[in-house]
């Protein structure tokens, strides 16, 4: 007899790139997941997956089973909502994935208001370094930057310009750059995110220009310091270690209190808008609709 846990198992395997990834999504160990898979295959009398040294892939029978399981799980998840008398009785779990810094500062307060509005709703905020495209277990994803080839719908939360900043102490010691090419002679702090080329900084000069002025300039900086954590990189800049490019939402408080100064403010870096990604209207639950309404009220 097939159980709900079996449906969740095959659905996770269909979404995750590996057995360990599926195990993380289900909050179990890989050996335990492997044992559950073998038991399910025995129950069905079918081979559902093929295991190799690097990954796990579903067989044709496994793919068919996973597709049916996803439909059944969606129906089971929607069943309580269809029985509810009004929106104030929302129940179940809403899972949101967001980047660490922005999630802590801006998403967590919105979710707190959502939880107060719907006491029966269980809210789960999963902070990740790269919430997209690893989103198979999330109902909504907050992402900073562009998303390509997505079947989900994007809603813009913030424009999010990016600022080049340094501490007053650093600028006093090494001088204020006048053009982007001057950064070749400065210490730069880079943030390693996804597969981006973190040492290639692109600048644009907006507005009217005088004769001989460039509209665009690209600089290949030398990374004196590198971190995959934006808070660490900003702290290093505040301590005078070098120049850093940070999102406006993260840097503006430090600029306001004087621990950082904007550098080359007449030049613009590529913006990285903050967006909320949710399923299309047909696959959108009442919980996700409530989340969108809460952002509208924010």
């Amino acid at each position: 007899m097939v159980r709900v846990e079996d449906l969740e198992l095959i659905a996770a395997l269909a979404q995750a790139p590996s057995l360990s990834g599926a195990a993380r999504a289900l909050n179990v160990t890989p050996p335990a997941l492997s044992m559950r898979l073998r038991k399910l295959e025995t129950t069905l009398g079918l081979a559902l997956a093929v295991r190799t040294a690097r990954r796990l892939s579903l067989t044709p029978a496994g793919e068919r089973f996973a597709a049916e399981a996803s439909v059944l799980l969606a129906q089971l998840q929607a069943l309580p909502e269809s029985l509810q008398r009004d929106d104030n009785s929302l129940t179940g779990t809403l899972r949101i994935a967001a980047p660490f810094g922005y999630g802590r500062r801006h998403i967590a307060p919105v979710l707190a208001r959502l939880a107060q509005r719907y006491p029966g709703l269980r809210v789960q905020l999963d902070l990740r370094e790269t919430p997209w495209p690893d989103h198979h277990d999330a109902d909504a994803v907050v992402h900073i930057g562009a998303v390509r080839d997505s079947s989900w719908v994007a809603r813009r939360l913030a424009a999010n310009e990016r600022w080049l900043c340094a501490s007053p102490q650093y600028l006093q010691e090494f001088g204020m750059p006048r053009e982007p090419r001057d950064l070749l002679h400065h210490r730069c702090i880079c943030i390693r995110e996804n597969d981006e080329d973190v040492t290639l900084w692109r600048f644009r000069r907006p507005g009217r220009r005088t004769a001989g002025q460039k509209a665009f300039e690209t600089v290949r900086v030398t990374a004196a310091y590198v971190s995959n954590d934006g808070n660490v990189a900003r702290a290093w800049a505040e301590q005078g270690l070098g120049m850093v490019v940070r999102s406006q939402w993260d840097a503006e408080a430090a600029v306001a209190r004087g621990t950082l100064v904007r550098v080359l403010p007449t030049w613009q870096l590529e913006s990285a808008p903050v967006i909320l990604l949710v399923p299309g209207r047909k696959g959108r639950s009442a919980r996700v609709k409530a989340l969108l309404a809460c952002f509208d009220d924010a």
Side-chain angles (χ1 to χ4, degrees):
M1 178 174 159
V2 176
R3 303 171 301 171
V4 173
E5 292 79 2
D6 298 326
L7 301 179
E8 293 172 341
L9 166 65
I10 195 67
L13 289 173
Q15 294 289 338
S18 64
L19 187 70
S20 60
R24 286 195 298 271
L26 295 174
N27 197 27
V28 299
T29 64
L33 188 63
S34 182
M35 184 179 300
R36 284 174 53 183
L37 176 59
R38 289 196 298 269
K39 184 177 179 181
L40 177 59
E41 289 177 326
T42 301
T43 299
L44 297 175
L46 295 170
L48 299 176
V50 177
R51 304 163 186 80
T52 64
R54 294 190 175 185
R55 61 176 292 117
L56 179 144
S57 58
L58 296 181
T59 64
E63 291 177 351
R64 290 197 302 271
F65 185 39
E68 293 293 336
S70 296
V71 172
L72 290 172
L73 288 171
Q75 291 174 343
L76 287 172
Q77 188 177 42
L79 182 59
E81 296 175 5
S82 67
L83 300 176
Q84 290 166 359
R85 295 181 179 177
D86 54 63
D87 288 343
N88 291 329
S89 60
L90 277 180
T91 59
T93 301
L94 177 69
R95 300 175 180 86
I96 302 95
F100 286 104
Y102 195 88
R104 293 191 196 102
R105 189 176 304 180
H106 295 284
I107 303 303
V110 174
L111 297 183
R113 291 195 296 271
L114 181 69
Q116 292 170 349
R117 186 177 298 178
Y118 305 104
L121 183 64
R122 182 171 179 263
V123 177
Q124 178 178 319
L125 176 59
D126 187 5
L127 299 179
R128 309 176 185 175
E129 183 180 345
T130 54
W132 187 272
D134 182 23
H135 64 279
H136 61 271
D137 56 344
D139 299 301
V141 178
V142 178
H143 177 78
I144 298 177
V147 170
R148 300 177 180 87
D149 301 327
S150 171
S151 60
W152 286 31
V153 177
R155 172 177 294 198
R156 184 160 142 170
L157 299 180
N160 192 35
E161 297 298 322
R162 296 197 301 164
W163 292 355
L164 177 65
C165 300
S167 71
Q169 299 92 327
Y170 177 89
L171 295 173
Q172 184 176 1
E173 182 175 357
F174 296 98
M176 174 72 79
R178 296 183 180 275
E179 299 289 336
R181 60 179 174 270
D182 294 340
L183 298 176
L184 297 174
H185 309 292
H186 282 269
R187 299 180 194 169
C188 294
I189 302 167
C190 295
I191 302 168
R192 186 177 64 253
E193 294 178 324
N194 305 325
D195 296 322
E196 294 180 4
D197 190 345
V198 298
T199 61
L200 193 65
W201 293 0
R202 298 179 178 87
F203 293 84
R204 180 176 69 89
R205 193 198 304 267
R208 300 181 64 179
R209 297 175 298 278
T210 60
Q213 284 187 329
K214 291 183 178 180
F216 298 91
E217 191 163 340
T218 301
V219 181
R220 173 71 70 181
V221 302
T222 299
Y225 306 92
V226 179
S227 175
N228 66 339
D229 188 295
N231 288 335
V232 170
R234 189 195 66 247
W236 282 346
E238 290 181 275
Q239 293 163 18
L241 297 185
M243 299 199 177
V244 68
V245 173
R246 288 302 293 141
S247 293
Q248 177 183 347
W249 66 263
D250 186 47
E252 58 188 355
V255 171
R257 63 176 176 262
T259 56
L260 286 179
V261 175
R262 282 196 68 183
V263 177
L264 300 176
T266 59
W267 290 83
Q268 290 181 351
L269 287 140
E270 291 179 311
S271 63
V274 182
I275 58 177
L276 177 69
L277 290 150
V278 297
R281 291 187 180 277
K282 290 185 178 179
R284 196 174 298 173
S285 68
R287 290 185 288 271
V288 171
K289 293 177 183 176
L291 174 67
L292 292 172
C294 202
F295 274 109
D296 290 338
D297 296 341

